[in-house]
């Protein structure tokens, strides 16, 4: 697997954990020994693994979010750090919504793990995500 | 200057260029030989230096934005890549507004240059930015 694909894989693993409401998988997605931070839509930054994980436990416990899939992923790599921009299609009971995200990863050994997630509302043409690819983990 | 301070300096240079409506300074803030991308509030990602710079020329040409200052900056460094999260206080004619941002930098030689900017709306307690520090470039 190329580094590019390994980073996309890590990005997909994040959305798979999110969609599965799997707090344990979400913990594994995030770096365990690097400083982490997270900006949820409309909020300011949360810093520190404990606080970030508590925020995910609250979000993953919300049954309203049915599924979230990444689209239009773009990978940027610089040494042992990389970031991915993507559109997030969030399927909730009332229909799909779109967000835009920046996800930052670091490489530890052979594994890319998340150190930062920033998502916020975006105007997205739904036709641009009409044929979503399945994330590789599903 | 420590690496931490050099990254804060690069972050402040971005907001100084923005506040000064200085397109030339903004070009110097951004990496010239690395892939760059930018997510403006409510929009999807723009990729490529030419497209990103065109977007800034349009924004800097808008006289409505009087000043933008960073607050609550947090620096995360990993080798030659770093990111900063911060609250942006945007002063426009009708009063201040707040955004939250993720700014990513890479080190080229001794200089940290921006490779990604992501800003979006955020609920911010104005009291948390009552006593803004001046960015070091001013």
């Amino acid at each position: 697997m190329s580094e590019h694909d390994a980073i996309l894989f890590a990005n997909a693993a994040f959305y798979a954990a999110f969609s599965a409401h799997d707090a344990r998988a979400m913990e594994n997605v995030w770096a365990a020994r690097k400083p982490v931070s997270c900006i949820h839509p409309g909020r300011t930054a949360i810093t520190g693994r404990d606080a970030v994980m508590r925020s995910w436990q609250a979000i993953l416990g919300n049954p309203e979010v049915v599924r979230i899939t990444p689209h239009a992923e773009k990978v940027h790599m610089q040494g042992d750090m990389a970031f991915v921009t993507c559109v997030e299609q969030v399927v909730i009971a009332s229909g799909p919504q779109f967000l835009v995200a920046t996800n930052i990863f670091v490489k530890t050994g052979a594994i890319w793990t998340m150190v930062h997630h920033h998502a916020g509302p975006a105007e997205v043409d739904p036709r641009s995500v009409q044929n979503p690819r399945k994330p590789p983990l599903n």
Side-chain angles (χ1 to χ4, degrees), chain A:
Chain A
M1 186 185 287
S2 70
E3 290 291 5
H4 178 275
D5 287 352
I7 295 160
L8 275 182
F9 186 88
N11 196 60
F14 165 73
Y15 290 104
F18 199 156
S19 291
H21 295 233
D22 186 336
R24 183 75 169 271
M26 185 60 86
E27 283 183 17
N28 290 335
V29 163
W30 285 78
R33 282 182 289 273
K34 297 282 180 187
V36 301
S37 60
C38 189
I39 299 176
H40 293 296
R43 311 298 294 270
T44 54
I46 298 167
T47 57
R49 184 173 166 93
D50 288 350
V52 169
M53 288 306 139
R54 278 198 303 274
S55 76
W56 283 112
Q57 283 155 14
I59 289 167
L60 298 177
N62 176 0
E64 197 195 349
V65 174
V66 176
R67 186 167 181 79
I68 180 165
T69 50
H71 302 273
E73 303 98 320
K74 291 220 167 68
V75 174
H76 302 253
M77 187 170 37
Q78 170 85 6
D80 288 343
M81 200 168 175
F83 69 96
V84 177
T85 60
C86 59
V87 169
E88 299 178 343
Q89 183 176 26
V90 184
V91 179
I92 57 176
S94 57
Q97 291 187 352
F98 295 100
L99 299 166
V100 63
T102 298
N103 298 320
I104 309 179
F105 300 89
V106 298
K107 193 176 182 189
T108 309
I111 303 295
W112 290 90
T113 51
M114 185 171 268
V115 289
H116 183 62
H117 168 70
H118 179 171
E123 291 173 26
V124 174
D125 181 351
R127 289 171 298 182
S128 68
V129 293
Q130 253 180 350
N131 298 302
R133 288 183 292 119
K134 280 203 170 191
L137 291 185
N138 284 5

